[in-house]
Amino acid sequence: MAEMLEVAFLDLLYKKNKEQHHTDDISGKRLIVRRGQAFTINLHFKSRGFQPGVDQLNVIVETGPWPEVTSRTKAVVPLATLGSRNTWSAVCVGKNSTGLAISLSAPGNAIIGQYILKIQVSTGNRNILYQLGKFYLLFNPWSQDDEVYLENEAQRQEYVLNDYGFIYQGNKDWISPCPWNFGQFEEDIVLICLKLLDKNLNYIQDAFTDLSRRNDPVYVSRVICAMINSNDDDGVLEGKWNGDFSSGVSPSTWNGSVAILRKWQESGHQPVKYGQCWVFAAVMCTVMRCLGIPSRVITGFDSAHDCDSNLLIEEYYDHTGKKLANESDSVWNFHVWTESWMARKDLPPGYGGWQVLDPTPQEMSKGIYCCGPTSVKAIKEGELNMPYDSPFVFAMVNADCISWRVQGAKKEKHFHDSRLIGHHFSTKSVGSDHSEDITENYKYQEGSQQERNVFMKARKMLKPLEMRSPSRALSKPAALHSSQSNGSPVSHMDSLENGDQEDERLNRSLKEAMLIMKFKLAEFPYVGQTIQLLLVTANLAGHAKNLKLNVSAQSVGHAGKPLKQFWTDSLYVALGLKEEKGVLFKIPYSVYGNFLDESNSIHFVAMGEQNTNWEKLLVQKDITLAFPDVIISVLGRVMLHQPVTIQLSFANPFNEAIVDCLLVVEGSGLLQKQLQMSIGAMGPKQRSSVNFEIIPYKSGVKQLQVNITSNKFRAMKGSKSIDVPPIASQ
């Protein structure tokens, strides 16, 4: 009888396998590989080597608490000489007197997650089962057998392997990059991302089905999207858009995803307070890149939240120009979501590629707060019958906006604007720190016939749904209900049916009036400075006109919610034939400073009226006040694993002292954990500097992100890319 073959130990060849699978940047001694690609393990035996014909060997891989072959959470793989692309395979690629080299490969549609690796050895009628280790299996954008395959290597480097980026904020006239530390390769992040999958409601309700579907990037992305917010589950972030943030962290204070994900894990999976859209989207991007799905963060300016699914956003103003709250629809000065790259086998050919995923909890999708994945191509073509959540995403980027003037229980239509929603969709460029405008991915040129045709196509696709289903929107205040001249209510459907004729009359009236009114900034304002706003009026008609103007300013929340109206003015402007006039308004910080929320946004409105009933104008402008830049300098030579001094220089923008200044610094590859330090008080208009040390622990181009907060502001930010050489100089 042959001596029993016994296993001594298993070498998982961490370094070699992680380099080949593009996971070598993931910190820690864990074997992390990608599906659809082989990895090598070395099996060492005790007293003798493997003898074909005498010994048999099966490799067993298992994932989940109840692995089964039928659910594809378990595979029993005999040692072979040839592999297969469609199933798990184990191929002998080397043999000596005391060991075997085995090439193990998962199919391109394998379930992702943590796997237990077992070896079953049989000699004669004797069997021994060894549990030898574990490994982690991710999606593979380098494999053509994987649904997340991305052909372009530069894009894979950016959308999978880059651990920093920029999230664009502000408004369409002033786009500001906010640096962000994605940090998907930090030591514990992959474990936290997999824990997210195990905390989702589907897993809790039916673990067998949930696990069996973790091979599908469409399914996994929907699960992650729901788990980033905490509205239905033990998700990562709790959202808050106004009020006091003292019970948590202000959304604008975050520099990156790592601190958020770690806080969620360390708290026993309690929601982290607080997030807003850019935080939700950035954390989702981190999780998706970590799991191997190419992803990027997108900002759309003047983004619509269409609660009643009619692709029309209605805004209401009183006679002073004050914007009234509308609990149904809103326009965000900017909104941020995630795009992820994947094939969509559930859609017709041509609708794969970039997919919208929006984890900000706005509306429910099939009973939970998530949105997508929605084909970007389907949005551009107005194909709103494709899953998931296409009508909501279409409205977000290309709804029409109707402005009403409210007088008592009636309202009067001012303007139907087809160009207000959806501008300058921005994301970080591949391989550079500049922005890329991808608006043309979402819609045809604004105002073109093709764009209008798509809009009308989308409206027609929605009409049967509107007639079947009640609106999801909350009821409006009585004063905001539509009314005809006889006072009878007008439904949304009636207004849609009559909208084209009404808009034609309105636009003809404006053309005949030949009046132009617009706002201009004399100079771009920073927080603390006087806002100098120029209102330009022009009469293009061949006769004189007299305009009565009401001008107002009010703070506005990031989500489009109108806040306090803090300034109004009224005046008469006499315009001769073909005459243009400008009126300069100066609004000092002492007037607006106490009314800003954390978005630092102000909504200006001018309402003009001539001495005829139809000559009415409305013009609006949003401005976002900026903070001075934080200047970052590297004092000395950067070397791997060697300390280097960083100097920050920054200024107090106010004519008064600020206190409780706190510096928050992070950067994957440069700091092992977030650095926080008090920097005390600053006098009026004082410029200060602070030094601290970092010890780079990863080579390559890394980004340092800094954020200074105080009792007066929350987001004085700066960033600097630092190139860390791979080997410390001797």
Side-chain angles (χ1 to χ4, degrees), residues 173 515-522 532-540 547 549 551 575 580-585 604-608 617-622:
D173 299 318
L515 286 168
I516 293 177
M517 189 163 63
K518 58 185 177 181
F519 282 120
K520 291 182 178 181
L521 281 172
Q532 299 189 58
L533 190 68
L534 184 67
L535 177 63
V536 178
T537 57
N539 175 22
L540 305 183
L547 277 179
L549 297 176
V551 189
L575 294 169
E580 178 181 299
K581 286 185 178 180
V583 181
L584 181 64
F585 300 101
F604 289 94
V605 174
M607 301 186 75
L617 291 174
L618 182 147
V619 64
Q620 54 186 314
K621 185 177 183 65
D622 291 314

Side-chain angles (χ1 to χ4, degrees), residues 678-689:
S678 174
I679 52 178
M682 295 178 66
K685 296 293 185 179
Q686 177 185 341
R687 175 161 286 278
S688 298
S689 64

